[in-house]
Amino acid sequence: MANYEKLDHWSLRAQKEGYPARSVYKLKEMDEKFGLFPAGRNRSNPFRVLDLGAAPGSWSLYALRKLGGGLFLSAADLSPLSRQYDKGLFGGDNVFFIQGDITAAETRKALLAHGPYALVMSDAAPATMGNRSVDTLRSLTLAEMALDYAEAALEKGGNLAVKVFQGGDTADILKRIRELFKTGKSFKPAACRRESFETYYLGLERR
Ligand SMILES: C[S@@+](CC[C@H](N)C(=O)[O-])C[C@H]1O[C@@H](n2cnc3c(N)ncnc32)[C@H](O)[C@@H]1O
């Protein structure tokens, strides 16, 4: 692990607050700004969320802690979720997790079968190679896939939050988001590393 990671303020805070990754603070900030997770839902009328690229599980854990039994969560990743901090939450009957590739047909089929969703969120990112154009291209595929899930499984009025790497051909993604949602915007949370070229696109209120 690089030195800057060891000393990073957000990583230390995540550890202290029992989250497996610092990325939770990016979601928290987007939730505080855009109201992604509503209060007042319950088991008989749960808020349904799809979390793409969910491991090690901070975003999923944030949603489960915030909504409790008022959440139904579907999550997918190539890697398993970390059980270090979840205190059994990931084993609940309101959680469906599939370890698989979100671009694969069988993963898509399983996730769509648990929809429709009120929120699709994707923090999916390729393992970076250090070659910016390759990394950006691979990230673009994942962002397009998240948009495909939103088109296929997001209910009317639902929201989308998706990570993109800046510098690639992301204008088309934002354009498609603006066609599908009443509002489409770009937002870079404070917890993104200063040197990172990631940002998030938000689609608010699916038409
Ligand atoms: C930045 S991490 C997500 C962190 C997560 N939001 C959290 O808060 O714990 C990006 C994740 O995307 C996943 N990923 C990348 N490509 C994927 C794919 N094709 N299918 C599923 N997951 C993928 C990686 O395995 C990695 O766990």
Side-chain angles (χ1 to χ4, degrees):
M1 189 185 281
N3 252 351
Y4 71 86
E5 280 182 295
K6 275 189 209 158
L7 301 172
D8 179 81
H9 158 78
W10 298 106
S11 306
L12 289 173
R13 184 170 161 195
Q15 241 176 36
K16 207 167 120 197
E17 296 182 358
Y19 286 102
R22 66 198 294 288
S23 46
V24 67
Y25 301 109
K26 303 172 197 170
L27 181 64
K28 187 170 189 286
E29 193 178 337
M30 289 192 279
D31 181 27
E32 285 165 359
K33 195 164 172 68
F34 302 108
L36 299 179
F37 298 94
R41 301 297 281 264
N42 54 43
R43 272 188 185 277
S44 53
N45 179 28
F47 187 71
R48 304 182 74 86
V49 174
L50 175 60
D51 186 0
L52 300 168
S58 290
W59 283 23
S60 287
L61 209 47
Y62 175 86
L64 283 161
R65 285 182 183 160
K66 182 156 181 188
L67 271 70
L71 179 77
F72 180 84
L73 174 78
S74 289
D77 202 290
L78 297 168
S79 303
L81 298 176
S82 164
R83 307 301 298 260
Q84 190 182 0
Y85 299 108
D86 81 309
K87 296 196 173 135
L89 285 173
F90 289 152
D93 60 7
N94 59 336
V95 176
F96 169 72
F97 175 73
I98 178 164
Q99 187 171 349
D101 183 340
I102 60 167
T103 67
E106 63 271 25
T107 310
R108 186 175 185 276
K109 191 173 168 202
L111 293 172
L112 295 192
H114 286 80
Y117 299 99
L119 173 66
V120 172
M121 54 188 194
S122 175
D123 198 25
T128 48
M129 325 228 326
N131 178 328
R132 184 158 173 181
S133 54
V134 174
D135 293 343
T136 305
L137 199 63
R138 292 170 70 210
S139 156
L140 200 61
T141 305
L142 295 173
E144 275 171 353
M145 202 61 215
L147 191 51
D148 170 82
Y149 278 98
E151 275 168 349
L154 198 57
E155 65 192 23
K156 189 166 185 267
N159 296 327
L160 165 74
V162 55
K163 169 151 53 201
V164 294
F165 284 3
Q166 293 161 293
D169 194 8
T170 52
D172 187 51
I173 293 195
L174 196 54
K175 182 171 167 272
R176 280 173 62 203
I177 288 176
R178 288 185 171 143
E179 284 163 5
L180 189 64
F181 296 86
K182 286 191 186 157
T183 305
K185 55 173 72 187
S186 171
F187 179 72
K188 184 154 182 147
C192 290
R193 294 187 200 286
R194 222 175 317 152
E195 70 279 13
S196 147
F197 49 96
E198 73 180 11
T199 192
Y200 292 82
Y201 284 171
L202 278 297
L204 304 175
E205 287 190 77
R206 185 190 179 157
R207 296 177 198 276

